[in-house]
Structure formats: C-alpha cells, structure tokens
Amino acid sequence: MEKTQLTFGFIPLTDCAPLVVAREGGFFAQQGLDVTLSREPSWANIRDKVLFGELDGAQMLATMPLATTLGINGIAKPTITAFNLDLNGNAITVSNALYQRLLAADPVAMQTRPISARALKQVIDADKAAGKDCMTFAMVFPVSTHNYALRYWMAAAGIHPDKDVRLVVVPPPKMVTQLQAGNIHGYCVGEPWNAQAVKLGIGHILITNYEIWNNMPEKVFGVNQEWAESYPHTHQSVLKALLAACQWLDQPENRLTAAQWLAQPHYVGASLEVIKMSLLGTFQYHPDQEPQNLPDFNVFYRYAANFPWRSQAAWFLSQMLRWGDIETAIDIHAVAQQVYRPDLYRQAADALSMASPLLDNKIEGNHATAWEFTEATSPLTMGADRFFDGQSYDPHQLMDYIAAFRIQRRLVTLADLNKANTH
C-alpha cells in the first residue's frame, strides 16, 4: 500500500456516519489505514482543501466531483468518486410564520403528502401582488444536491427559483440560527439540522428529499483523480473499509451506537436525541406531532446504495444545465464516465465478495416499491425510485429530458447540446 496515514474531511451532518463508523468501528484500521477525520465548516472548505491536497479525500455532495472537474464556481481539477456514502437524508424546513401562511393559503395541498409547493406558489403570488420583497430560502452550496432538489420541488409547482424567491448559501450548522433570526424563510439541509428546528419549536419540515426522489443519491467519498492514480492500493483499501462500515451501519441494531459516536462534539455535536431521530428510522415533521416511521430516510448500504451510478451523475449534470450552472455544451455521458468510477467500486466489492451491478446506468422513476435488479454479480434488492411529480428519467433519452423542462434558466442551446451529445 502506497500511503497509510490519511486525513479525510467531513461536514457535521448525520450522513458523515460512514466515515465516523469506519474510524470508530475499526474498519479503517482493519485495512491497515491510520485515518484522521477533520471537521470542516463548509462545503467550499472541503472542495478547496481536497483540491489543493490539504485533505486526502472527503465526504462530498454527490454533485461536487462533477462541479470541480468542470470548474464550476472555482478552479477546474479532475475529481472522482467511486463510492456513494448514502441515499436521502435531507429535508425542506420553513419558519413557523411561513408554515401558518401556507396552511391558510391551501389547506388541501398542505394535507396531501408528499407536500407540493402549490401553497408556496400562492403565497409568493400574493406577496407579488402586494409589492413585497421575495422570500429567502437557503441551501448549503451553489452546486449541491440540496439546491437541485429544492429547485426541482419549487419548479414543479410553477415557481421559478431564480425569479420568484431568493436563494442563498448557508453552511449546514448555521441554518437553524439563521431561521431563528428571521434572516431566511426556509432551507434545504441534511440532518440533524431539520430535526433541530422542530425540536426548538421554530420550524416545520414540509418534505424530505426521499419524498422528492425516492432514494436520491446524496453524499459521496471524493478524491482528486491524480490522488487516486498515485495511490491506487490505498484508494482500494479506503473503499473496502467504507463498504464494510456502511454494511455495519445499515444493521438496525448498530444505529444507536453510531448515533452516540456522531453526537460527540468533534463529529456532529448535536444532541443524541436529535441525531438518533432519523438515524433510527423515525422522523418528526412538526413540533406538535408524534414522530413517524420513515425507515429509508437514511440508507447507507442496502439498495446498492454505495454504487456510483453514472446515470445519476448524468441526472445531476442535467440539472446543472437546466439552471445555468454549466455555461457551455458538454458531452454529458463522457463527463459522468470520467468522474463516477463504478469500475473502482466493483474492484473493492469483488475483494469483499459483495454483489455489485454489472451496468453503469439505470432508469429512475418507474418503481414505487422495492424491486430486483438482476443484471448484477448476484441479484440485488433495490428501493423505490419515484419522483414526487410522477416523472421518469431515462439516461438514454437525456436530450428529450432536458428539453422538457418548462421552468429553467439554461444557457446552452439545445442545438449545441445535441451536437455535443451525438455519438
């Protein structure tokens, strides 16, 4: 192995759990790795420290390796991921005041789950008619899974997120204080910062990203491409440790132990009560309601959760194009192939005798319940993959998918995009 002393970055969120479990549970050590975990204040810090080699690798948003490779909002540097850390884990929370306005605007929409943004559209229209300023919503990073889930949810109800509201970036641990101070009206963030607002009685959770897109990919383990090429055996050891940690973490009897590790000040630092809420399979949407069962809110291993599907990378790229984050025509599948590396994942999974998909792409949106994926080294049970608006996504029909967005801010013409993606 080329390198054994490593430093990985993470953000204080419940879904940094695979890294924490790999360290605290001895899975890194079993692979001969001495890993230090570095708590970072923001996703920009994570991006920059990995980019400049201050961190060997890090927990990243699933979109970050793509954005960094393309140089969106920063320096372009080839970055890869061979490992999804988890599925789901985020939610949209609003202030008490906005929640009451939503209830008054459209009680039926607010009682229909998954809750759409229909009531929010009515409140926005009323504010426009009254000459009021736009409301402010926060997300964690410009090119984040949270940003695209929030935009997707809003746009489905006819809200243009670049014209009808103001979107700002707030680091995850600061969301609650910003909501409490009245600086924002709502936010999309990972746990435990939605549950924290509910526990403090200052906010209501409208919808989880699991409800927006069942089993949406969320965080990945990312490294510079040159790092992966310089330390291939080390990288494989890291992937094997994370696979074993995620398998352990998805056993219900281990979740409380994981929550206790996460609650420590040098990791997430929130109360055990708040952290264990979603991690133990329950979710509380409102301060005055009992928690509900939501067993798939945090998925760390089942449903082939750790496999880096190139089709999902292409979906994120479609959203970057939709909202003007990518300003020139790109070959979408070529970028997905460069950044998402299922070949490296399969190598680690094979070494541990774990099943893995034989295909790199799959259609999303056609399964309302669990289903079996047979094109794998052995059959895999997969989770639901519905979008809340009933749409489906076929990675082989990307141009049609992108062209169909009614609300968008695309800066690349369909003609140029078609030309770049004609093979």
Side-chain angles (χ1 to χ4, degrees), residues 96-144:
N96 291 339
L98 177 53
Y99 183 72
Q100 292 305 319
R101 292 190 68 193
L102 297 175
L103 281 177
D106 196 331
V108 175
M110 293 298 289
Q111 296 298 322
T112 305
R113 193 159 286 286
I115 291 176
S116 72
R118 194 174 78 191
L120 181 60
K121 176 71 163 67
Q122 295 179 46
V123 170
I124 288 170
D125 288 346
D127 283 353
K128 280 185 181 179
K132 294 182 180 179
D133 292 336
C134 290
M135 286 184 284
T136 301
F137 284 79
M139 37 76 180
V140 302
F141 193 64
V143 280
S144 62

Side-chain angles (χ1 to χ4, degrees), residues 277 282-286 289-293:
M277 177 68 72
T282 57
F283 203 77
Q284 186 174 358
Y285 289 89
H286 309 288
Q289 291 185 3
E290 290 297 309
Q292 300 182 23
N293 287 330

Side-chain angles (χ1 to χ4, degrees), residues 145-186:
T145 49
H146 313 68
N147 182 28
Y148 300 125
L150 181 61
R151 286 170 175 270
Y152 191 95
W153 178 73
M154 287 182 172
I159 299 168
H160 197 303
D162 292 305
K163 296 177 181 179
D164 298 332
V165 296
R166 178 172 171 258
L167 297 182
V168 298
V169 172
V170 174
K174 296 184 179 180
M175 288 289 192
V176 175
T177 55
Q178 289 295 302
L179 188 72
Q180 193 166 26
N183 296 329
I184 56 177
H185 296 86

Side-chain angles (χ1 to χ4, degrees), residues 209-245:
N209 71 331
Y210 172 80
E211 294 166 284
I212 295 173
W213 175 10
N214 297 163
N215 295 303
M216 178 181 186
E218 176 47 30
K219 305 298 191 308
V220 300
F221 177 74
V223 298
N224 288 335
Q225 182 176 315
E226 64 180 6
W227 187 96
E229 292 170 351
S230 297
Y231 308 115
H233 296 98
T234 298
H235 193 201
Q236 280 297 309
S237 294
V238 172
L239 298 178
K240 287 185 284 187
L242 289 173
L243 263 171

Side-chain angles (χ1 to χ4, degrees), residues 367 369-375 378-383:
H367 301 95
T369 58
W371 56 288
E372 190 173 78
F373 188 85
T374 57
E375 292 175 284
S378 62
L380 289 161
T381 298
M382 305 295 288

